[in-house]
Amino acid sequence: MSATKEFTYSDVSEHSTKKDLYVVVHDKVYDCSNFVDEHPGGEEVMLDVGGQDATEAFEDVGHSDEARELLDGMLVGTLKRQEGDPKPKSYHQATKNVSSADGASAGVGIYAVFLVGAVLAFAGWKYLQSQQQQ
């Protein structure tokens, strides 16, 4: 199938079984049929969002860059939204960027706490050594 094919929400909803599973992420349609058994979260997670817009579920988990690359290989088309289709839940890319920046700050903070702890431990050890020599 060509990645330029357009699917309606109704088209996608027809593909919700383990052997025929489509999901929508950011208005792109992916055929995940061959990936269901390999999904690290288990097949139930995939089947729960099969035939639906899985954008929120996909982003809430915080998939890795590798997972996103795998997803690119499953692209079969785009979603053509029509009147009466379920509205996409709002997801903002900025939210993701803020949380990843917070994660980087937390990582630096952990190193700082570790470094301060190591310095204090060394100072305590030196103090005890000087007390034993007296």
Side-chain angles (χ1 to χ4, degrees):
M1 284 186 204
S2 170
T4 59
K5 183 172 181 183
E6 284 190 333
F7 293 86
T8 64
Y9 198 82
S10 178
D11 295 334
V12 173
S13 68
E14 294 173 4
H15 302 272
S16 60
T17 66
K18 182 177 177 179
K19 295 189 183 293
D20 182 25
L21 187 71
Y22 282 17
V23 296
V24 176
V25 178
H26 295 295
D27 287 346
K28 293 182 181 177
V29 180
Y30 299 93
D31 181 353
C32 299
S33 307
N34 294 327
F35 186 69
V36 174
D37 290 328
E38 298 173 31
H39 188 263
E43 71 181 49
E44 297 83 22
V45 174
M46 295 290 295
L47 293 172
D48 283 346
V49 295
Q52 302 174 41
D53 188 333
T55 303
E56 184 176 28
F58 183 82
E59 295 298 350
D60 282 350
V61 171
H63 283 88
S64 66
D65 291 338
E66 182 181 350
R68 292 172 191 280
E69 288 175 20
L70 286 172
L71 196 61
D72 287 342
M74 297 180 228
L75 182 66
V76 292
T78 59
L79 182 66
K80 180 180 181 183
R81 291 196 181 268
Q82 299 177 334
E83 192 160 331
D85 286 349
K87 298 282 185 216
K89 296 207 169 119
S90 63
Y91 173 80
H92 299 287
Q93 189 68 23
T95 304
K96 179 178 177 267
N97 291 339
V98 167
S99 65
S100 65
D102 290 345
S105 298
V108 171
I110 290 171
Y111 286 117
V113 167
F114 177 74
L115 182 60
V116 168
V119 168
L120 289 174
F122 180 74
W125 178 74
K126 289 299 262 180
Y127 175 76
L128 288 175
Q129 289 289 1
S130 68
Q131 291 297 320
Q132 287 179 351
Q133 290 177 356
Q134 291 179 358

